[in-house]
Amino acid sequence: MTPDRAAVRILVCDDHALVRAGLLALLDSAPDIEVAGEAGTGEEALALAAKLVPDVVLMDLQLGEGIDGVETTRRLTSTPGASLHVLVLTTYDTDADITRAIEAGATGYLLKAERPDELFAAIHAAAQGRPALSAPVAGRVMANLRRPRPTLTDRERDILTQLARGSGNRDIARALFISEATVKTHLRRIYDKLGVDTRAGAVAVAKEQRLLP
């Protein structure tokens, strides 16, 4: 450990045992990073974070059964008095994934292809509450900021609002007095305009671009 920098305590959350083992071995090689624990599910990460009080949780997005990495991040960062930071480490770099993670409270977003020194630097940045983004992720964020906001019709906005409330197609059709087939048609157009392919992705991008009331 370097004398001028205290070790950062890390909790690793990834549902693949082999990936966790590789990360633990890599992190153990860093003199100023201390692995406090490891978790294979979101629920386990929540329990261990409360017990171990790490500085940074290294979080995968897809965690198999149970809550995913985004929901785990949201719960970790919204806990009253929580001082930890979440650094996402994943293979997913879609606009929707990035938006959902950052909105959930993630301090940084890294891809698993990063070099070890970049990972170590991002961990220390996250521990200090400073944003840490992989270069490709930062590029996508900047591109999205520069991209003109899509133009949605009033009906498409109505449907997006219903999506944000968690309504299914049948409920949307009843609420807006239209057919389910019409709902599906509007959804396809919304997905095309927002550049997504899922309901969650549409809501995330709509929130990011302030398309929802």
Side-chain angles (χ1 to χ4, degrees):
M1 185 189 314
T2 57
D4 59 340
R5 183 161 65 174
V8 176
R9 286 169 49 79
I10 292 285
L11 171 62
V12 175
C13 182
D14 194 294
D15 63 329
H16 293 96
L18 287 177
V19 173
R20 289 202 310 275
L23 281 172
L24 294 178
L26 177 62
L27 295 171
D28 280 339
S29 70
D32 45 10
I33 293 176
E34 174 190 344
V35 178
E38 58 177 297
T41 66
E43 290 82 356
E44 189 177 3
L46 292 173
L48 286 176
K51 178 181 179 181
L52 301 173
V53 195
D55 300 308
V56 176
V57 178
L58 206 56
M59 178 69 63
D60 192 13
L61 287 185
Q62 302 298 328
L63 298 175
E65 296 183 0
I67 59 176
D68 65 5
V70 170
E71 179 59 26
T72 305
T73 296
R74 181 175 293 108
R75 296 188 190 183
L76 285 170
T77 57
S78 63
T79 301
S83 60
L84 61 76
H85 298 281
V86 175
L87 176 60
V88 170
L89 183 64
T90 183
T91 57
Y92 301 92
D93 65 345
T94 67
D95 293 346
D97 286 324
I98 296 168
T99 299
R100 290 178 63 224
I102 293 176
E103 287 191 340
T107 300
Y109 197 109
L110 254 63
L111 302 180
K112 288 183 177 178
E114 293 291 354
R115 298 193 307 271
D117 59 330
E118 293 174 333
L119 172 60
F120 299 156
I123 287 173
H124 282 285
Q128 297 171 23
R130 293 187 286 110
L133 301 175
S134 288
V137 173
R140 294 180 76 96
V141 171
M142 292 302 296
N144 286 336
L145 290 174
R146 296 190 183 104
R147 184 183 304 158
R149 293 174 60 184
T151 301
L152 300 178
T153 66
D154 290 341
R155 179 60 78 194
E156 289 166 351
R157 289 178 182 275
D158 291 341
I159 290 177
L160 263 178
T161 299
Q162 294 292 325
L163 284 183
R165 295 172 180 168
S167 301
N169 288 0
R170 181 174 299 178
D171 293 330
I172 295 174
R174 288 175 178 171
L176 301 180
F177 303 102
I178 57 179
S179 69
E180 287 188 57
T182 301
V183 172
K184 292 178 181 178
T185 297
H186 283 301
L187 283 176
R188 285 195 296 270
R189 292 173 181 167
I190 290 170
Y191 292 171
D192 287 342
K193 288 182 178 181
L194 300 185
V196 300
D197 54 12
T198 66
R199 302 167 80 90
V203 173
V205 173
K207 287 181 178 179
E208 177 195 18
Q209 300 192 16
R210 295 180 174 82
L211 299 175
L212 289 172

